[in-house]
Amino acid sequence: MEFLTDLPEAISSPGAMLLEGLSLPMILGNLSLEIEHLLPAEQVEATNEKCVHDVMNVFYNNEMGLIPEVLARVTAFLILL
């Protein structure tokens, strides 16, 4: 699942701003490493690759050298909060 591209349109109210938090990929990556002895190695590797991709390619802002905690999608644009 692409965190920002697979989001449904605003479901709480029409015109609501869609937000995506950094916490989900960070928690998911850490959790998969904590329980890796319970999961197939391929699943752990795929989960961590996805989480690293989201943190470093979706959230990381190269121009500012920052990783914002929240991104907002307004029409087709992403803005940093």
Side-chain angles (χ1 to χ4, degrees), residues 42-76:
E42 303 83 31
Q43 185 175 5
V44 173
E45 184 176 335
T47 300
N48 286 324
E49 285 178 9
K50 176 69 177 125
C51 292
V52 169
H53 164 76
D54 286 339
V55 171
M56 298 307 296
N57 295 319
V58 175
F59 283 90
Y60 181 70
N61 184 311
N62 197 28
E63 293 175 9
M64 297 189 326
L66 298 172
I67 299 176
E69 288 188 37
V70 178
L71 293 177
R73 182 171 67 173
V74 179
T75 62

PDB file of all heavy atoms in Angstrom, residues 42-76:
ATOM      1  N   GLU A  42      10.783 -13.057   4.202  1.00  0.00           N
ATOM      2  CA  GLU A  42      10.415 -12.238   3.049  1.00  0.00           C
ATOM      3  C   GLU A  42       9.455 -11.124   3.457  1.00  0.00           C
ATOM      4  O   GLU A  42       9.541 -10.005   2.958  1.00  0.00           O
ATOM      5  CB  GLU A  42       9.754 -13.089   1.950  1.00  0.00           C
ATOM      6  CG  GLU A  42      10.581 -14.239   1.452  1.00  0.00           C
ATOM      7  CD  GLU A  42      10.482 -15.478   2.336  1.00  0.00           C
ATOM      8  OE1 GLU A  42       9.423 -15.709   2.966  1.00  0.00           O
ATOM      9  OE2 GLU A  42      11.478 -16.207   2.401  1.00  0.00           O
ATOM     10  N   GLN A  43       8.552 -11.425   4.366  1.00  0.00           N
ATOM     11  CA  GLN A  43       7.578 -10.423   4.808  1.00  0.00           C
ATOM     12  C   GLN A  43       8.267  -9.326   5.617  1.00  0.00           C
ATOM     13  O   GLN A  43       7.961  -8.141   5.453  1.00  0.00           O
ATOM     14  CB  GLN A  43       6.476 -11.063   5.634  1.00  0.00           C
ATOM     15  CG  GLN A  43       5.377 -10.103   6.019  1.00  0.00           C
ATOM     16  CD  GLN A  43       4.236 -10.786   6.745  1.00  0.00           C
ATOM     17  OE1 GLN A  43       4.286 -11.976   7.049  1.00  0.00           O
ATOM     18  NE2 GLN A  43       3.189 -10.028   7.008  1.00  0.00           N
ATOM     19  N   VAL A  44       9.200  -9.706   6.460  1.00  0.00           N
ATOM     20  CA  VAL A  44       9.943  -8.716   7.244  1.00  0.00           C
ATOM     21  C   VAL A  44      10.747  -7.808   6.313  1.00  0.00           C
ATOM     22  O   VAL A  44      10.727  -6.579   6.449  1.00  0.00           O
ATOM     23  CB  VAL A  44      10.877  -9.408   8.263  1.00  0.00           C
ATOM     24  CG1 VAL A  44      11.770  -8.389   8.953  1.00  0.00           C
ATOM     25  CG2 VAL A  44      10.069 -10.190   9.279  1.00  0.00           C
ATOM     26  N   GLU A  45      11.415  -8.402   5.346  1.00  0.00           N
ATOM     27  CA  GLU A  45      12.228  -7.624   4.406  1.00  0.00           C
ATOM     28  C   GLU A  45      11.360  -6.682   3.573  1.00  0.00           C
ATOM     29  O   GLU A  45      11.688  -5.500   3.412  1.00  0.00           O
ATOM     30  CB  GLU A  45      13.016  -8.558   3.489  1.00  0.00           C
ATOM     31  CG  GLU A  45      13.956  -7.831   2.565  1.00  0.00           C
ATOM     32  CD  GLU A  45      14.787  -8.777   1.729  1.00  0.00           C
ATOM     33  OE1 GLU A  45      15.010  -9.923   2.150  1.00  0.00           O
ATOM     34  OE2 GLU A  45      15.226  -8.342   0.655  1.00  0.00           O
ATOM     35  N   ALA A  46      10.240  -7.178   3.056  1.00  0.00           N
ATOM     36  CA  ALA A  46       9.355  -6.347   2.231  1.00  0.00           C
ATOM     37  C   ALA A  46       8.757  -5.206   3.055  1.00  0.00           C
ATOM     38  O   ALA A  46       8.675  -4.064   2.580  1.00  0.00           O
ATOM     39  CB  ALA A  46       8.242  -7.199   1.632  1.00  0.00           C
ATOM     40  N   THR A  47       8.364  -5.492   4.286  1.00  0.00           N
ATOM     41  CA  THR A  47       7.791  -4.457   5.152  1.00  0.00           C
ATOM     42  C   THR A  47       8.812  -3.375   5.446  1.00  0.00           C
ATOM     43  O   THR A  47       8.514  -2.179   5.357  1.00  0.00           O
ATOM     44  CB  THR A  47       7.281  -5.074   6.471  1.00  0.00           C
ATOM     45  OG1 THR A  47       6.284  -6.042   6.162  1.00  0.00           O
ATOM     46  CG2 THR A  47       6.713  -4.016   7.389  1.00  0.00           C
ATOM     47  N   ASN A  48      10.021  -3.777   5.785  1.00  0.00           N
ATOM     48  CA  ASN A  48      11.047  -2.785   6.100  1.00  0.00           C
ATOM     49  C   ASN A  48      11.479  -1.986   4.879  1.00  0.00           C
ATOM     50  O   ASN A  48      11.723  -0.784   4.989  1.00  0.00           O
ATOM     51  CB  ASN A  48      12.238  -3.448   6.782  1.00  0.00           C
ATOM     52  CG  ASN A  48      11.921  -3.815   8.212  1.00  0.00           C
ATOM     53  OD1 ASN A  48      11.211  -3.089   8.892  1.00  0.00           O
ATOM     54  ND2 ASN A  48      12.416  -4.942   8.660  1.00  0.00           N
ATOM     55  N   GLU A  49      11.543  -2.617   3.716  1.00  0.00           N
ATOM     56  CA  GLU A  49      11.860  -1.866   2.496  1.00  0.00           C
ATOM     57  C   GLU A  49      10.795  -0.817   2.227  1.00  0.00           C
ATOM     58  O   GLU A  49      11.110   0.320   1.863  1.00  0.00           O
ATOM     59  CB  GLU A  49      11.984  -2.817   1.309  1.00  0.00           C
ATOM     60  CG  GLU A  49      13.262  -3.606   1.292  1.00  0.00           C
ATOM     61  CD  GLU A  49      13.337  -4.578   0.124  1.00  0.00           C
ATOM     62  OE1 GLU A  49      12.464  -4.518  -0.774  1.00  0.00           O
ATOM     63  OE2 GLU A  49      14.256  -5.402   0.124  1.00  0.00           O
ATOM     64  N   LYS A  50       9.526  -1.182   2.407  1.00  0.00           N
ATOM     65  CA  LYS A  50       8.419  -0.244   2.185  1.00  0.00           C
ATOM     66  C   LYS A  50       8.474   0.904   3.184  1.00  0.00           C
ATOM     67  O   LYS A  50       8.279   2.063   2.823  1.00  0.00           O
ATOM     68  CB  LYS A  50       7.087  -1.002   2.289  1.00  0.00           C
ATOM     69  CG  LYS A  50       5.879  -0.124   2.183  1.00  0.00           C
ATOM     70  CD  LYS A  50       5.744   0.419   0.778  1.00  0.00           C
ATOM     71  CE  LYS A  50       4.480   1.235   0.698  1.00  0.00           C
ATOM     72  NZ  LYS A  50       4.737   2.584   0.229  1.00  0.00           N
ATOM     73  N   CYS A  51       8.737   0.585   4.439  1.00  0.00           N
ATOM     74  CA  CYS A  51       8.788   1.628   5.470  1.00  0.00           C
ATOM     75  C   CYS A  51       9.947   2.591   5.231  1.00  0.00           C
ATOM     76  O   CYS A  51       9.786   3.806   5.340  1.00  0.00           O
ATOM     77  CB  CYS A  51       8.885   0.996   6.854  1.00  0.00           C
ATOM     78  SG  CYS A  51       7.383   0.115   7.333  1.00  0.00           S
ATOM     79  N   VAL A  52      11.115   2.056   4.892  1.00  0.00           N
ATOM     80  CA  VAL A  52      12.265   2.916   4.599  1.00  0.00           C
ATOM     81  C   VAL A  52      11.986   3.773   3.375  1.00  0.00           C
ATOM     82  O   VAL A  52      12.304   4.967   3.352  1.00  0.00           O
ATOM     83  CB  VAL A  52      13.549   2.071   4.415  1.00  0.00           C
ATOM     84  CG1 VAL A  52      14.683   2.911   3.858  1.00  0.00           C
ATOM     85  CG2 VAL A  52      13.952   1.432   5.743  1.00  0.00           C
ATOM     86  N   HIS A  53      11.362   3.177   2.351  1.00  0.00           N
ATOM     87  CA  HIS A  53      11.000   3.953   1.162  1.00  0.00           C
ATOM     88  C   HIS A  53      10.083   5.119   1.526  1.00  0.00           C
ATOM     89  O   HIS A  53      10.305   6.253   1.092  1.00  0.00           O
ATOM     90  CB  HIS A  53      10.316   3.068   0.124  1.00  0.00           C
ATOM     91  CG  HIS A  53       9.590   3.841  -0.926  1.00  0.00           C
ATOM     92  ND1 HIS A  53      10.240   4.477  -1.960  1.00  0.00           N
ATOM     93  CD2 HIS A  53       8.277   4.115  -1.082  1.00  0.00           C
ATOM     94  CE1 HIS A  53       9.348   5.108  -2.708  1.00  0.00           C
ATOM     95  NE2 HIS A  53       8.149   4.904  -2.195  1.00  0.00           N
ATOM     96  N   ASP A  54       9.053   4.848   2.315  1.00  0.00           N
ATOM     97  CA  ASP A  54       8.107   5.905   2.669  1.00  0.00           C
ATOM     98  C   ASP A  54       8.763   7.015   3.481  1.00  0.00           C
ATOM     99  O   ASP A  54       8.525   8.193   3.232  1.00  0.00           O
ATOM    100  CB  ASP A  54       6.916   5.325   3.428  1.00  0.00           C
ATOM    101  CG  ASP A  54       5.974   4.560   2.519  1.00  0.00           C
ATOM    102  OD1 ASP A  54       6.010   4.805   1.290  1.00  0.00           O
ATOM    103  OD2 ASP A  54       5.219   3.729   3.022  1.00  0.00           O
ATOM    104  N   VAL A  55       9.601   6.637   4.426  1.00  0.00           N
ATOM    105  CA  VAL A  55      10.263   7.654   5.256  1.00  0.00           C
ATOM    106  C   VAL A  55      11.248   8.468   4.429  1.00  0.00           C
ATOM    107  O   VAL A  55      11.255   9.705   4.480  1.00  0.00           O
ATOM    108  CB  VAL A  55      10.965   7.008   6.463  1.00  0.00           C
ATOM    109  CG1 VAL A  55      11.841   8.016   7.197  1.00  0.00           C
ATOM    110  CG2 VAL A  55       9.936   6.414   7.414  1.00  0.00           C
ATOM    111  N   MET A  56      12.081   7.801   3.641  1.00  0.00           N
ATOM    112  CA  MET A  56      13.167   8.500   2.948  1.00  0.00           C
ATOM    113  C   MET A  56      12.768   9.093   1.596  1.00  0.00           C
ATOM    114  O   MET A  56      13.417  10.027   1.128  1.00  0.00           O
ATOM    115  CB  MET A  56      14.359   7.552   2.760  1.00  0.00           C
ATOM    116  CG  MET A  56      14.946   7.085   4.072  1.00  0.00           C
ATOM    117  SD  MET A  56      15.375   8.432   5.211  1.00  0.00           S
ATOM    118  CE  MET A  56      16.651   9.281   4.306  1.00  0.00           C
ATOM    119  N   ASN A  57      11.724   8.589   0.964  1.00  0.00           N
ATOM    120  CA  ASN A  57      11.344   9.103  -0.353  1.00  0.00           C
ATOM    121  C   ASN A  57      10.036   9.878  -0.352  1.00  0.00           C
ATOM    122  O   ASN A  57       9.849  10.762  -1.177  1.00  0.00           O
ATOM    123  CB  ASN A  57      11.260   7.960  -1.368  1.00  0.00           C
ATOM    124  CG  ASN A  57      12.605   7.322  -1.595  1.00  0.00           C
ATOM    125  OD1 ASN A  57      13.614   7.993  -1.676  1.00  0.00           O
ATOM    126  ND2 ASN A  57      12.627   6.011  -1.665  1.00  0.00           N
ATOM    127  N   VAL A  58       9.111   9.530   0.540  1.00  0.00           N
ATOM    128  CA  VAL A  58       7.831  10.230   0.586  1.00  0.00           C
ATOM    129  C   VAL A  58       7.904  11.395   1.566  1.00  0.00           C
ATOM    130  O   VAL A  58       7.552  12.520   1.239  1.00  0.00           O
ATOM    131  CB  VAL A  58       6.677   9.269   0.956  1.00  0.00           C
ATOM    132  CG1 VAL A  58       5.371  10.023   1.121  1.00  0.00           C
ATOM    133  CG2 VAL A  58       6.540   8.183  -0.102  1.00  0.00           C
ATOM    134  N   PHE A  59       8.400  11.128   2.777  1.00  0.00           N
ATOM    135  CA  PHE A  59       8.404  12.159   3.815  1.00  0.00           C
ATOM    136  C   PHE A  59       9.630  13.068   3.751  1.00  0.00           C
ATOM    137  O   PHE A  59       9.529  14.252   4.028  1.00  0.00           O
ATOM    138  CB  PHE A  59       8.317  11.528   5.212  1.00  0.00           C
ATOM    139  CG  PHE A  59       6.934  11.082   5.555  1.00  0.00           C
ATOM    140  CD1 PHE A  59       6.505   9.807   5.257  1.00  0.00           C
ATOM    141  CD2 PHE A  59       6.051  11.946   6.174  1.00  0.00           C
ATOM    142  CE1 PHE A  59       5.231   9.396   5.560  1.00  0.00           C
ATOM    143  CE2 PHE A  59       4.764  11.547   6.491  1.00  0.00           C
ATOM    144  CZ  PHE A  59       4.362  10.266   6.175  1.00  0.00           C
ATOM    145  N   TYR A  60      10.779  12.527   3.425  1.00  0.00           N
ATOM    146  CA  TYR A  60      12.009  13.330   3.464  1.00  0.00           C
ATOM    147  C   TYR A  60      11.963  14.450   2.436  1.00  0.00           C
ATOM    148  O   TYR A  60      11.691  14.232   1.267  1.00  0.00           O
ATOM    149  CB  TYR A  60      13.233  12.450   3.213  1.00  0.00           C
ATOM    150  CG  TYR A  60      14.536  13.208   3.265  1.00  0.00           C
ATOM    151  CD1 TYR A  60      15.013  13.707   4.460  1.00  0.00           C
ATOM    152  CD2 TYR A  60      15.276  13.430   2.112  1.00  0.00           C
ATOM    153  CE1 TYR A  60      16.210  14.407   4.515  1.00  0.00           C
ATOM    154  CE2 TYR A  60      16.471  14.122   2.155  1.00  0.00           C
ATOM    155  CZ  TYR A  60      16.930  14.605   3.366  1.00  0.00           C
ATOM    156  OH  TYR A  60      18.111  15.298   3.408  1.00  0.00           O
ATOM    157  N   ASN A  61      12.226  15.668   2.885  1.00  0.00           N
ATOM    158  CA  ASN A  61      12.278  16.830   2.003  1.00  0.00           C
ATOM    159  C   ASN A  61      13.741  17.177   1.789  1.00  0.00           C
ATOM    160  O   ASN A  61      14.395  17.724   2.674  1.00  0.00           O
ATOM    161  CB  ASN A  61      11.528  18.004   2.626  1.00  0.00           C
ATOM    162  CG  ASN A  61      11.479  19.198   1.711  1.00  0.00           C
ATOM    163  OD1 ASN A  61      12.494  19.613   1.171  1.00  0.00           O
ATOM    164  ND2 ASN A  61      10.303  19.759   1.542  1.00  0.00           N
ATOM    165  N   ASN A  62      14.237  16.844   0.614  1.00  0.00           N
ATOM    166  CA  ASN A  62      15.654  17.022   0.300  1.00  0.00           C
ATOM    167  C   ASN A  62      16.071  18.487   0.318  1.00  0.00           C
ATOM    168  O   ASN A  62      17.187  18.813   0.728  1.00  0.00           O
ATOM    169  CB  ASN A  62      15.967  16.385  -1.053  1.00  0.00           C
ATOM    170  CG  ASN A  62      17.449  16.172  -1.249  1.00  0.00           C
ATOM    171  OD1 ASN A  62      18.184  16.005  -0.289  1.00  0.00           O
ATOM    172  ND2 ASN A  62      17.871  16.166  -2.492  1.00  0.00           N
ATOM    173  N   GLU A  63      15.190  19.373  -0.126  1.00  0.00           N
ATOM    174  CA  GLU A  63      15.529  20.797  -0.177  1.00  0.00           C
ATOM    175  C   GLU A  63      15.773  21.374   1.210  1.00  0.00           C
ATOM    176  O   GLU A  63      16.658  22.190   1.409  1.00  0.00           O
ATOM    177  CB  GLU A  63      14.415  21.585  -0.866  1.00  0.00           C
ATOM    178  CG  GLU A  63      14.264  21.264  -2.332  1.00  0.00           C
ATOM    179  CD  GLU A  63      13.075  21.971  -2.954  1.00  0.00           C
ATOM    180  OE1 GLU A  63      12.465  22.840  -2.286  1.00  0.00           O
ATOM    181  OE2 GLU A  63      12.749  21.651  -4.105  1.00  0.00           O
ATOM    182  N   MET A  64      14.969  20.954   2.175  1.00  0.00           N
ATOM    183  CA  MET A  64      15.099  21.469   3.528  1.00  0.00           C
ATOM    184  C   MET A  64      15.940  20.561   4.419  1.00  0.00           C
ATOM    185  O   MET A  64      16.352  20.963   5.496  1.00  0.00           O
ATOM    186  CB  MET A  64      13.715  21.656   4.166  1.00  0.00           C
ATOM    187  CG  MET A  64      12.879  22.679   3.443  1.00  0.00           C
ATOM    188  SD  MET A  64      11.323  23.174   4.235  1.00  0.00           S
ATOM    189  CE  MET A  64      10.730  21.745   5.034  1.00  0.00           C
ATOM    190  N   GLY A  65      16.179  19.329   3.986  1.00  0.00           N
ATOM    191  CA  GLY A  65      16.929  18.382   4.791  1.00  0.00           C
ATOM    192  C   GLY A  65      16.166  17.930   6.025  1.00  0.00           C
ATOM    193  O   GLY A  65      16.765  17.595   7.039  1.00  0.00           O
ATOM    194  N   LEU A  66      14.827  17.916   5.937  1.00  0.00           N
ATOM    195  CA  LEU A  66      13.977  17.581   7.075  1.00  0.00           C
ATOM    196  C   LEU A  66      13.012  16.454   6.728  1.00  0.00           C
ATOM    197  O   LEU A  66      12.660  16.248   5.576  1.00  0.00           O
ATOM    198  CB  LEU A  66      13.149  18.792   7.505  1.00  0.00           C
ATOM    199  CG  LEU A  66      13.905  20.020   7.979  1.00  0.00           C
ATOM    200  CD1 LEU A  66      12.948  21.177   8.177  1.00  0.00           C
ATOM    201  CD2 LEU A  66      14.646  19.711   9.273  1.00  0.00           C
ATOM    202  N   ILE A  67      12.570  15.760   7.771  1.00  0.00           N
ATOM    203  CA  ILE A  67      11.502  14.777   7.640  1.00  0.00           C
ATOM    204  C   ILE A  67      10.342  15.302   8.473  1.00  0.00           C
ATOM    205  O   ILE A  67      10.386  15.251   9.700  1.00  0.00           O
ATOM    206  CB  ILE A  67      11.935  13.390   8.136  1.00  0.00           C
ATOM    207  CG1 ILE A  67      13.113  12.872   7.316  1.00  0.00           C
ATOM    208  CG2 ILE A  67      10.757  12.414   8.060  1.00  0.00           C
ATOM    209  CD1 ILE A  67      13.663  11.556   7.796  1.00  0.00           C
ATOM    210  N   PRO A  68       9.297  15.854   7.830  1.00  0.00           N
ATOM    211  CA  PRO A  68       8.160  16.368   8.599  1.00  0.00           C
ATOM    212  C   PRO A  68       7.358  15.224   9.215  1.00  0.00           C
ATOM    213  O   PRO A  68       7.337  14.117   8.693  1.00  0.00           O
ATOM    214  CB  PRO A  68       7.337  17.121   7.559  1.00  0.00           C
ATOM    215  CG  PRO A  68       7.679  16.452   6.272  1.00  0.00           C
ATOM    216  CD  PRO A  68       9.109  16.015   6.396  1.00  0.00           C
ATOM    217  N   GLU A  69       6.696  15.498  10.316  1.00  0.00           N
ATOM    218  CA  GLU A  69       5.892  14.481  10.976  1.00  0.00           C
ATOM    219  C   GLU A  69       4.566  14.236  10.265  1.00  0.00           C
ATOM    220  O   GLU A  69       4.003  13.152  10.372  1.00  0.00           O
ATOM    221  CB  GLU A  69       5.621  14.879  12.422  1.00  0.00           C
ATOM    222  CG  GLU A  69       6.842  14.779  13.295  1.00  0.00           C
ATOM    223  CD  GLU A  69       6.516  14.997  14.754  1.00  0.00           C
ATOM    224  OE1 GLU A  69       5.435  14.555  15.194  1.00  0.00           O
ATOM    225  OE2 GLU A  69       7.329  15.605  15.439  1.00  0.00           O
ATOM    226  N   VAL A  70       4.074  15.235   9.543  1.00  0.00           N
ATOM    227  CA  VAL A  70       2.776  15.120   8.877  1.00  0.00           C
ATOM    228  C   VAL A  70       2.867  15.726   7.483  1.00  0.00           C
ATOM    229  O   VAL A  70       3.475  16.774   7.292  1.00  0.00           O
ATOM    230  CB  VAL A  70       1.674  15.853   9.682  1.00  0.00           C
ATOM    231  CG1 VAL A  70       0.335  15.769   8.973  1.00  0.00           C
ATOM    232  CG2 VAL A  70       1.575  15.300  11.082  1.00  0.00           C
ATOM    233  N   LEU A  71       2.257  15.049   6.518  1.00  0.00           N
ATOM    234  CA  LEU A  71       2.102  15.585   5.168  1.00  0.00           C
ATOM    235  C   LEU A  71       0.616  15.737   4.901  1.00  0.00           C
ATOM    236  O   LEU A  71      -0.195  14.949   5.372  1.00  0.00           O
ATOM    237  CB  LEU A  71       2.687  14.632   4.124  1.00  0.00           C
ATOM    238  CG  LEU A  71       4.182  14.427   4.125  1.00  0.00           C
ATOM    239  CD1 LEU A  71       4.548  13.392   3.061  1.00  0.00           C
ATOM    240  CD2 LEU A  71       4.925  15.712   3.888  1.00  0.00           C
ATOM    241  N   ALA A  72       0.273  16.745   4.147  1.00  0.00           N
ATOM    242  CA  ALA A  72      -1.120  16.963   3.771  1.00  0.00           C
ATOM    243  C   ALA A  72      -1.241  16.945   2.248  1.00  0.00           C
ATOM    244  O   ALA A  72      -0.382  17.455   1.559  1.00  0.00           O
ATOM    245  CB  ALA A  72      -1.609  18.294   4.313  1.00  0.00           C
ATOM    246  N   ARG A  73      -2.313  16.322   1.778  1.00  0.00           N
ATOM    247  CA  ARG A  73      -2.570  16.299   0.339  1.00  0.00           C
ATOM    248  C   ARG A  73      -3.711  17.248   0.057  1.00  0.00           C
ATOM    249  O   ARG A  73      -4.815  17.084   0.548  1.00  0.00           O
ATOM    250  CB  ARG A  73      -2.921  14.891  -0.124  1.00  0.00           C
ATOM    251  CG  ARG A  73      -3.141  14.822  -1.625  1.00  0.00           C
ATOM    252  CD  ARG A  73      -3.273  13.423  -2.088  1.00  0.00           C
ATOM    253  NE  ARG A  73      -4.501  12.826  -1.568  1.00  0.00           N
ATOM    254  CZ  ARG A  73      -4.946  11.629  -1.930  1.00  0.00           C
ATOM    255  NH1 ARG A  73      -4.252  10.904  -2.763  1.00  0.00           N
ATOM    256  NH2 ARG A  73      -6.071  11.168  -1.433  1.00  0.00           N
ATOM    257  N   VAL A  74      -3.423  18.265  -0.748  1.00  0.00           N
ATOM    258  CA  VAL A  74      -4.429  19.229  -1.170  1.00  0.00           C
ATOM    259  C   VAL A  74      -4.512  19.095  -2.677  1.00  0.00           C
ATOM    260  O   VAL A  74      -3.560  19.409  -3.367  1.00  0.00           O
ATOM    261  CB  VAL A  74      -4.059  20.662  -0.748  1.00  0.00           C
ATOM    262  CG1 VAL A  74      -5.100  21.650  -1.222  1.00  0.00           C
ATOM    263  CG2 VAL A  74      -3.870  20.746   0.749  1.00  0.00           C
ATOM    264  N   THR A  75      -5.599  18.625  -3.153  1.00  0.00           N
ATOM    265  CA  THR A  75      -5.807  18.243  -4.568  1.00  0.00           C
ATOM    266  C   THR A  75      -4.654  17.336  -4.978  1.00  0.00           C
ATOM    267  O   THR A  75      -4.499  16.265  -4.444  1.00  0.00           O
ATOM    268  CB  THR A  75      -5.968  19.471  -5.483  1.00  0.00           C
ATOM    269  OG1 THR A  75      -4.788  20.264  -5.451  1.00  0.00           O
ATOM    270  CG2 THR A  75      -7.160  20.290  -5.096  1.00  0.00           C
ATOM    271  N   ALA A  76      -3.796  17.759  -5.905  1.00  0.00           N
ATOM    272  CA  ALA A  76      -2.716  16.895  -6.376  1.00  0.00           C
ATOM    273  C   ALA A  76      -1.380  17.254  -5.738  1.00  0.00           C
ATOM    274  O   ALA A  76      -0.368  16.681  -6.093  1.00  0.00           O
ATOM    275  CB  ALA A  76      -2.603  17.008  -7.894  1.00  0.00           C
TER     276      ALA A  76
END
